[in-house]
Amino acid sequence: IIPSWEKTGEDPNKIFIYPGMGFGTGNHETTFLCLKLMLDEIKDINNIRSCLDFGCGSGILGVGFAQKFKMAKVVDYLDIDQEALDNCQVNLDLNPKAKACARYLVLPPEADKLEGTYDLVFANILLDALIAEGERIVEKTGKYLIVSGLLSGQEKEVQSAYEKLRPDLKFVTAYKKNDWVAALFEVIR
């Protein structure tokens, strides 16, 4: 992941991110953990075709997925902040493969455009938002869900809430870095 101001040409192995206001270039523990879980724990990642970046911020997780995996076909982005979606659009423009996969960048009032489920959902937001939006997050999960923005121990609260909302969604593992945690869930059929 390279800051946009260091871009010297097209390189499919690099992800270019303009961090915008309040967003980073992937160095924060929560972002790092989401990407690490995706790369290390999702064994059939090369078969994943669709992704929702829920609470996208700069869009780094959806952009990273789309740039990295050739089977990526659709990536949608949802955030409560129009500035975040504007920043996400800038980052899509910096990454042609991710831009080709992008379908919707929406605010919650437009969330009805996000029909069906996604093979992979990222939700890198704080605990209160993960709980408040839990129903929407789990209903959009078709196969894998990666949640982060959690402090150590909070993953148990999310696990309990999400497994009550959707009994076929099972906790797989959690990764920790410093005081932050990301957790992977999988739909078991």
Side-chain angles (χ1 to χ4, degrees):
I1 300 173
I2 310 293
S4 60
W5 53 88
E6 293 181 16
K7 185 173 183 176
T8 58
E10 298 303 320
D11 185 338
N13 296 315
K14 293 180 180 172
I15 300 162
F16 299 100
I17 296 293
Y18 177 73
M21 292 182 58
F23 305 112
T25 56
N27 292 326
H28 192 274
E29 291 91 340
T30 60
T31 307
F32 171 85
L33 291 168
C34 286
L35 294 170
K36 186 152 181 61
L37 274 169
M38 176 185 69
L39 294 170
D40 290 356
E41 298 293 334
I42 300 178
K43 302 303 179 211
D44 61 342
I45 190 68
N46 287 314
N47 296 321
I48 302 297
R49 296 174 182 267
S50 61
C51 176
L52 173 61
D53 191 343
F54 191 100
C56 64
S58 68
I60 192 168
L61 296 172
V63 169
F65 166 76
Q67 284 289 110
K68 177 79 175 145
F69 298 103
K70 63 182 173 193
M71 295 304 287
K73 300 292 180 212
V74 171
V75 182
D76 289 335
Y77 302 84
L78 172 75
D79 204 285
I80 62 170
D81 183 351
Q82 184 60 53
E83 269 189 49
L85 293 177
D86 294 344
N87 183 222
C88 183
Q89 183 62 59
V90 168
N91 290 323
L92 288 168
D93 292 340
L94 291 167
N95 297 280
K97 184 167 185 317
K99 186 174 182 175
C101 294
R103 183 175 58 176
Y104 295 117
L105 283 79
V106 297
L107 295 166
E110 304 169 300
D112 60 337
K113 291 180 178 179
L114 308 178
E115 296 177 6
T117 62
Y118 298 83
D119 296 334
L120 173 62
V121 175
F122 288 109
N124 184 11
I125 51 183
L126 298 176
L127 176 65
D128 290 347
L130 286 168
I131 298 298
E133 293 294 329
E135 191 170 334
R136 186 182 302 187
I137 292 168
V138 300
E139 81 178 11
K140 291 296 174 193
T141 302
K143 186 149 188 180
Y144 297 104
L145 168 62
I146 297 175
V147 298
S148 196
L150 301 168
L151 294 172
S152 186
Q154 291 179 332
E155 71 276 9
K156 292 178 176 89
E157 188 174 340
V158 172
Q159 177 182 356
S160 176
Y162 284 14
E163 288 179 349
K164 282 178 188 162
L165 287 169
R166 188 164 173 189
D168 64 341
L169 185 67
K170 301 296 181 193
F171 173 82
V172 175
T173 192
Y175 283 9
K176 182 178 178 185
K177 185 173 182 185
N178 298 324
D179 291 331
W180 295 99
V181 175
L184 172 66
F185 294 83
E186 182 176 0
V187 175
I188 307 296
R189 295 198 167 103

